[in-house]
Amino acid sequence: MPDGAPEPKKGRKLDQVLDGARQVFMSDGYEGASVDDIARAAGVSKATLYSYFPDKKLLFMQVAKMACHRQTKNVIETIDFKAPATVVLRTIATEMVDFITSEFGTRVFRICVAESGRFPELAREFYECAPMLIRARMVDFFRIAMERGELRIDDVLLAADQFHELCKADLFPRMVFSMSDSFTRAEKDRVINGAVEMFMARYGVKP
């Protein structure tokens, strides 16, 4: 597939192509994914696949964006900004931790890192379509919580980045270095609760 293709066209088999590509990318990685295997998994001809995605980079980025936007949508839809700060933070942390440690999140991250040298736009696209969107949503909440007197934050962007890093404690390094392939609910909750408690200890306003 040649590089530098525009955004894919819309069509009735687009979702079918994306679902098939997702299966192959997750099992074989970006480099190992072949056009033949993707077309076979999607149940379409190679000509149909090329008509949607003449660029493998574009196809992978569409697959990654689809999952990332779905995760971001889940975060946005499950947040009740009227709830206390600890409740909102725990909701955000749970969504973030579950995605980071999911099979898809883990594999996409590894593919982006592995291919970042040759295709830096892959990693950039992944970063911008999930972490940056959630970061912006967190900043929106911080400002609301500050107006309510629940949080006191001087640098909301830094605070959002700090909370994101707190949610990666222990689990993310173990995932990156292939020390663990899956995590129990108790392991995730340990990190989630710790992240919320640490963040509130630094930025929470005591009644």
Side-chain angles (χ1 to χ4, degrees):
M1 289 182 179
D3 294 336
E7 285 293 310
K9 70 174 186 179
K10 302 299 181 181
R12 62 187 180 85
K13 292 189 176 181
L14 177 60
D15 289 342
Q16 191 174 326
V17 169
L18 290 172
D19 287 341
R22 180 183 185 278
Q23 297 174 33
V24 177
F25 281 131
M26 293 306 100
S27 63
D28 300 340
Y30 177 83
E31 186 63 28
S34 72
V35 175
D36 288 334
D37 289 341
I38 292 174
R40 188 179 304 111
V44 299
S45 67
K46 288 174 63 174
T48 297
L49 178 61
Y50 279 122
S51 71
Y52 283 104
F53 296 98
D55 183 341
K56 190 167 82 168
K57 287 191 298 181
L58 177 60
L59 176 53
F60 174 74
M61 285 191 285
Q62 286 297 120
V63 170
K65 283 198 294 185
M66 181 175 64
C68 292
H69 282 301
R70 184 183 300 121
Q71 190 250 355
T72 303
K73 181 180 179 181
N74 288 339
V75 173
I76 293 174
E77 290 182 346
T78 54
I79 294 178
D80 177 9
F81 279 5
K82 296 180 182 179
T86 54
V87 174
V88 175
L89 290 172
R90 186 165 285 106
T91 299
I92 295 174
T94 299
E95 292 288 345
M96 291 173 61
V97 169
D98 284 348
F99 181 74
I100 289 171
T101 59
S102 68
E103 181 181 6
F104 182 81
T106 299
R107 289 181 179 272
V108 168
F109 172 79
R110 288 174 176 166
I111 291 172
C112 286
V113 170
E115 302 296 335
S116 62
R118 291 188 303 140
F119 304 126
E121 60 268 36
L122 287 175
R124 189 181 308 116
E125 188 80 18
F126 176 71
Y127 181 72
E128 290 178 354
C129 75
M132 289 299 288
L133 292 178
I134 294 178
R135 182 186 193 229
R137 197 60 171 162
M138 288 176 62
V139 167
D140 290 340
F141 169 69
F142 291 165
R143 289 180 173 138
I144 292 174
M146 289 165 63
E147 291 179 359
R148 294 197 311 230
E150 294 180 282
L151 298 176
R152 183 181 293 113
I153 304 173
D154 293 327
D155 189 334
V156 291
L157 292 177
L158 176 61
D161 291 337
Q162 289 172 331
F163 188 70
H164 183 264
E165 291 302 315
L166 288 171
C167 292
K168 292 161 59 179
D170 184 39
L171 306 180
F172 189 71
R174 287 164 59 189
M175 179 270 289
V176 169
F177 294 107
S178 299
M179 297 170 61
S180 300
D181 293 327
S182 61
F183 303 93
T184 65
R185 187 72 257 171
E187 289 178 303
K188 295 178 184 179
D189 288 343
R190 170 176 171 265
V191 172
I192 291 166
N193 293 333
V196 174
E197 291 171 6
M198 180 70 76
F199 189 87
M200 291 301 295
R202 171 62 180 85
Y203 294 112
V205 177
K206 296 183 180 180

